[in-house]
Structure formats: C-alpha cells, structure tokens
Amino acid sequence: MMSKIDETDTKILELLEEDARRSFTEIAHKLNVSESAIRKRVTSMQKEGVITKFTIKVDHGKLGL
C-alpha cells in the first residue's frame, strides 16, 4: 500500500481526472513544482495501484450512435 497521499498527489489526480492527456509539464506549471516531481509521483501512484489506467470518455451522441 502506498504511503500517505498528500495535497499535491490529490491535485495531480484531480487534474488527470479532468484530462488524462494533460502533460506532466502542464501539471507541474499549474502546481508550481518540477516536471520530474510530477513524473515521479505519477509513476509511484501507478506502481502502487492508485492510478490503474488512463482512459478516454467518448460522446456517442456526437458520433450519431
């Protein structure tokens, strides 16, 4: 189990939930931390199973389905 999730981890998760394609650089800029810190935190959360996958949501109505 991952050690304690802090405020920065929570903000990273919120930003990725809004847009899973958001770059680590953009997240770092928004949170005023380094890109490498974001990369390390995301990698750690993936290894610990906090982040299980990155996905998309399709608007089927816009596709006529």
Side-chain angles (χ1 to χ4, degrees):
M1 185 167 139
M2 185 171 175
S3 57
K4 191 174 177 182
I5 300 282
D6 65 12
E7 185 177 339
T8 301
D9 291 331
T10 301
K11 288 179 181 178
I12 292 168
L13 292 170
E14 288 171 357
L15 290 168
L16 288 173
E17 283 183 319
E18 288 173 11
D19 182 359
R21 291 184 55 183
R22 186 170 273 151
S23 71
F24 292 158
T25 302
E26 181 184 345
I27 295 170
H29 179 73
K30 286 183 178 285
L31 301 183
N32 199 32
V33 297
S34 70
E35 183 271 341
S36 64
I38 299 299
R39 183 175 306 280
K40 287 177 186 176
R41 286 172 176 264
V42 170
T43 299
S44 177
M45 287 189 279
Q46 286 177 292
K47 287 180 182 176
E48 297 293 334
V50 175
I51 297 174
T52 57
K53 69 178 179 176
F54 294 88
T55 188
I56 63 167
K57 199 181 265 187
V58 176
D59 184 336
H60 294 284
K62 290 189 178 184
L63 297 173
L65 304 173

